[in-house]
Amino acid sequence: MNAPLRILGLDPGLRRTGWGVIAVEGARLTHIAHGVITPKDSLPFAERLLVLFEAIAQVVEAHAPHEAAVEETFMNNNAASALKLGHARAMAMIVPARAGLPVAEYAATVVKKSVVGTGAAEKDQVGFMIARLLPTAGKTTADAADALAVAIAHAHHRKLRRIGAAA
């Protein structure tokens, strides 16, 4: 019998990066841990990125995930904000990749559809479903719930991604 697969989900942001780790065994999902990384706004930009890098590295070291999944950037009209978010997203992708983990990316609509059933779900609906799907997670912030949702989306789509790659 194989050990459960651990998936790290990341919802990147420069102010708040949510993370969540789940275990997958067949169709069963189990909550392992979750949290939010919050670099101080007063830090210089490069130091905020360093805080993200180091904190994500600590999560990877502490929970030893086998795979990682990151939510894709939602494009907004402010190019400067989008670029800064892209830097935070890079930290969320580089750290697991540096640790040797495969890293998948999912659009927010795919994540929401995987957890709620519709890609247009609101944040409170995602939080509600995380509480139902992972009852041992307890109360989660929106950022942590989103990260757990990314991990769940990956759990649902990873086999399809592998089959598509083989075709």
Side-chain angles (χ1 to χ4, degrees), residues 32 34 67 79 93 119:
I32 301 297
H34 68 272
E67 298 178 8
M93 295 180 73

Side-chain angles (χ1 to χ4, degrees), residues 143-156:
D143 299 297
D146 286 352
L148 288 165
V150 172
I152 291 170
H154 183 62
H156 291 164

